[in-house]
Amino acid sequence: MTGVAIQSLPTGADDARRLAALLGLPLREIALHDFPDGEMRVTIGPAASTTIIYASLDRPNDKLLAILFAAEAMRRAGARRLVLLAPYLCYMRQDTAFHDGEAISQKAVGRLIAGMVDRVITVDAHLHRTTDIRAVFPGIEAENLSAMPAIADAMRSTGIDPATVAIGPDAESRPWVSDLAGRLGLAHTVAQKIRRGDRAVEIGFAEAALLAGRPVLLVDDIVSSGGTLIACAKALKAAGATTIDAVMTHALFAPETANAFADAGIRSVRSTSSVPHPSNAIPLDEILATALRRELDDRNFPEKTP
């Protein structure tokens, strides 16, 4: 049995292949088969003592079941340690019940995954009131990496006007916007959402004078529908921004939304490789490899009974 290997769900195979090459590890693709009645068969590759499961958890429901089945097969085949590498982590946004009867998905999914693996690694998990991701996964190791170093490196390599202002679409975005702006030496601010009614939301900027006659870079962690990004772009144009570009960690929006972004005045949209998407332009390979390197000597970890 080999010491360490990566096994990937099919949707992440290309990204996993680059990571395996960077770390010098074998890669096996987990085979999925759907039966006519909707059930799933999962077949893993040859077992490794330490197995890294690469699975970005966008469109997560079938993927969670596939990981559950794969983990069962890996443990039975002799894997002592399982690491889930999920660059995008699902179901983190609902960390409380906002209405009577609602499930708290973060708790449920956290406990499910904690029962499958020994360590979880993700990137820019969308956490609100949960300050430490380890609280999501009781009894196992968990790390929430920042994509900002990779994004900053990409911005430097392509060149960025030093007059650019980094903009966050809401108050929640302030931590990663300030981080990226600090790495690039840029001014930064965040938008304010002003409610005009139950369904009407207006985007404004307390420091609107900062934006006039300057290029701006919209920075977000997750873009799902793109509506907030579009509203921000329109407000930025009204404030006199000369150009508008956007960068994000997780691109979940439909590819055709790119047309609406362009119509709103967004010149370019770039995302990291956390979720396979046409906007991918920023690989996360280096930060993921750095987090995984301590797994390369599996003698550091006690044996776990399958």
Side-chain angles (χ1 to χ4, degrees):
M1 181 182 293
T2 58
V4 187
I6 299 176
Q7 299 212 26
S8 171
L9 293 186
T11 53
D14 290 342
D15 294 313
R17 191 171 294 109
R18 293 197 313 273
L19 187 60
L22 189 60
L23 291 169
L25 295 177
L27 173 68
R28 292 118 186 195
E29 187 172 317
I30 298 167
L32 307 181
H33 175 79
D34 293 326
F35 291 104
D37 62 359
E39 291 190 359
M40 178 191 305
R41 181 178 65 216
V42 173
T43 306
I44 64 168
S49 180
T50 295
T51 299
I52 299 157
I53 304 171
Y54 189 101
S56 196
L57 293 175
D58 57 308
R59 302 188 177 276
N61 298 346
D62 285 350
K63 292 180 181 179
L64 286 170
L65 198 58
I67 294 167
L68 175 66
F69 292 170
E72 184 280 331
M74 291 168 184
R75 295 285 194 203
R76 192 162 34 82
R80 295 187 297 125
R81 180 170 171 83
L82 298 181
V83 178
L84 174 61
L85 177 55
Y88 174 71
L89 189 59
C90 59
Y91 288 120
M92 292 297 103
R93 285 177 269 195
Q94 182 138 12
D95 57 6
T96 190
F98 299 102
H99 305 284
D100 289 345
E102 283 185 346
I104 302 177
S105 59
Q106 185 188 96
K107 288 183 180 294
V109 169
R111 289 172 183 153
L112 176 67
I113 291 174
M116 302 180 197
V117 301
D118 304 290
R119 182 186 180 196
V120 174
I121 303 169
T122 190
V123 181
D124 288 344
H126 200 76
L127 304 175
H128 293 290
R129 287 154 290 272
T130 305
T131 56
D132 188 339
I133 197 168
R134 289 174 294 183
V136 178
F137 301 102
I140 67 169
E141 304 166 59
E143 291 129 276
N144 185 23
L145 309 178
S146 171
M148 294 308 118
I151 292 174
D153 287 347
M155 296 290 106
R156 289 192 202 96
S157 67
T158 58
I160 187 165
D161 188 330
T164 298
V165 182
I167 303 287
D170 50 36
E172 290 177 357
S173 64
R174 189 178 295 277
W176 52 85
V177 173
S178 60
D179 183 359
L180 182 62
R183 293 174 185 275
L184 295 173
L186 303 178
H188 71 281
T189 189
V190 298
Q192 297 174 324
K193 287 184 179 178
I194 306 166
R195 293 209 169 268
R196 299 299 187 191
D198 289 343
R199 300 189 180 186
V201 177
E202 181 180 316
I203 298 291
F205 294 94
E207 301 172 81
L210 177 68
L211 308 173
R214 299 177 70 171
V216 300
L217 178 67
L218 277 168
V219 185
D220 208 350
D221 62 339
I222 299 175
V223 177
S224 297
S225 68
T228 298
L229 215 61
I230 289 168
C232 277
K234 291 177 178 177
L236 288 166
K237 284 179 67 178
T242 56
T243 59
I244 304 168
D245 296 289
V247 65
M248 66 213 61
T249 305
H250 311 297
L252 304 182
F253 58 90
E256 55 268 24
T257 307
N259 295 326
F261 290 151
D263 291 342
I266 301 176
R267 181 175 63 174
S268 69
V269 177
R270 286 172 282 184
S271 65
T272 76
S273 58
S274 69
V275 176
H277 193 273
S279 65
N280 287 170
I282 304 167
L284 294 175
D285 304 1
E286 287 294 340
I287 67 167
L288 298 179
T290 297
L292 286 170
R293 283 197 172 96
R294 74 180 181 88
E295 301 290 344
L296 301 188
D297 184 356
D298 65 355
R299 292 170 299 181
N300 292 332
F301 305 104
E303 184 153 355
K304 182 165 183 173
T305 302

